[in-house]
Amino acid sequence: MISVDSSIPARWLGAARLTAGSFLLCALAAGLLFWAAPGLGTLARLFVFIECVGMVFIACIAVLGRSRRLLRMRPLPRWLLTGAIAIPTGYFGGHLVALLILDEPISRVVGHGSDYMVAFAFGLVLAAFVLYAAVTRDQLAKEAMARSDAQRLATESELRLLRAQLEPHMLFNTLANLRSLVDEDPRQAERMIDQLIVYLRSTHAASRDEVTTLQSEFSQLRAYLDIMSLRMGPRLAYRLDLPAELERIAVPPMLLQPLVENAIKHGLEPKLGAGSIEVLARSIEGGIEVAVDDSGLGLSPHQPASSGDDAGEVCGSGLENVRDRLQTLYGLRASLTLQARSPCGVRAVVRIPS
């Protein structure tokens, strides 16, 4: 299953940060309240009370945040209602919890005097600040999600545009080869037609799915490379290596196709003599690695080898699309790197987290 973060969901990370920040804020508030209202007790006692009030308040916000009825409301009334419920619940519920922890009479949950009024006002200000932090965090999270969705849609549009550019070009060239093979070598023509059917069927399926398997990706590559080897003859040899335990690994569709096409178009076709392509998949720590090796012309002098994503044999739309899709789906945990091979050729390496 493809996920932008396969470890801890973003909402839990945000809740953990808010809880940790509230804990530190309550600790600071306990010191300030001890200085402002010393009649309320020792610093340790105030620390227990304020931390309990703060944690009950945060827990109440978390519970209300999962209410479907509240989620259907507009942001302003939703957060006003959340505050109206969470502030008194946190204040009185936190006091009850603190009194139970300190083994004090429950009747002391409501006190009297100026010190208690200071504590109550202090608690309201603190609760309003924490609620404001929660509202801000929620708004920032929604904006980040909207940006991520927009980037994903833009990347998918680029992928559809790339298919629209590549498939007709490849199809026309293949049909031109088929026309000559029909009379010269009917058996080869039949084989090319079979592989063309497999290739078009797999690309059509990929255009409808957001995720595929490595096995499907390699099947599509095999059909494509079979067609290209029939067109190029002995000038092209290829090898695909996919371990059985990696066949069901989920990957974005059409992720490897641009790398193979780039290797043929810019590496092998312009080169005199025979060449080869190898596509190798293997497990690495924390994910998988797929390498596309070619023995073509190699990197140009203006594009030196590098382990970074900015290196490239030819940084055309295909490679940029692969790079953008990896960034959108996996962030910095995935990468596309290009390296020079010895004595010639290029290695394109895709790393995807598990």
Side-chain angles (χ1 to χ4, degrees), residues 29-38 43 46:
L32 293 175
L33 188 59
F34 178 72
W35 171 79
L43 177 62
L46 288 178

Side-chain angles (χ1 to χ4, degrees), residues 173-318:
N173 288 339
T174 302
L175 291 175
N177 281 107
L178 271 174
R179 183 177 181 182
S180 61
L181 281 176
V182 167
D183 294 327
E184 297 174 5
D185 193 341
R187 184 167 297 181
Q188 285 285 73
E190 183 179 351
R191 181 185 172 191
M192 183 178 284
I193 291 173
D194 291 339
Q195 294 305 319
L196 183 60
I197 292 172
V198 173
Y199 175 78
L200 292 177
R201 182 182 291 121
S202 61
T203 54
H204 178 67
S207 66
R208 296 177 299 172
D209 300 329
E210 295 184 0
V211 64
T212 187
T213 62
L214 267 181
Q215 184 179 29
S216 297
E217 278 285 284
F218 270 66
S219 297
Q220 180 177 330
L221 291 180
R222 185 179 301 279
Y224 173 76
L225 288 169
D226 269 345
I227 294 171
M228 295 306 299
S229 65
L230 289 171
R231 284 172 48 185
M232 297 177 64
R235 293 184 56 219
L236 174 63
Y238 74 88
R239 182 171 74 92
L240 303 178
D241 185 6
L242 175 62
E245 63 271 17
L246 301 182
E247 290 180 349
R248 308 308 300 173
I249 295 292
V251 295
M254 295 284 289
L255 183 68
L256 304 176
Q257 180 82 13
L259 304 181
V260 174
E261 293 191 15
N262 189 77
I264 291 178
K265 180 178 179 181
H266 301 288
L268 296 178
E269 283 187 334
K271 178 186 175 182
L272 297 177
S276 64
I277 288 182
E278 293 184 339
V279 185
L280 316 170
R282 68 185 184 98
S283 296
I284 58 174
E285 184 177 357
I288 62 169
E289 175 185 282
V290 182
V292 179
D293 296 339
D294 71 70
S295 61
L297 294 179
L299 296 168
S300 70
H302 303 291
Q303 294 167 324
S306 167
S307 60
D309 284 351
D310 292 334
E313 185 178 357
V314 173
C315 287
S317 58

Side-chain angles (χ1 to χ4, degrees), residues 3 5-15 17:
S3 173
D5 189 345
S6 60
S7 53
I8 302 175
R11 64 176 182 275
W12 293 114
L13 285 175
R17 294 191 188 100

Side-chain angles (χ1 to χ4, degrees), residues 1 21 55 78 88 112 144 171 173 189 205 207 230 238 252 323 338:
M1 178 178 181
M55 293 305 105
R78 182 176 81 246
H112 303 282
L171 183 59
N173 288 339
S207 66
L230 289 171
Y238 74 88
R323 188 174 293 115
L338 299 178

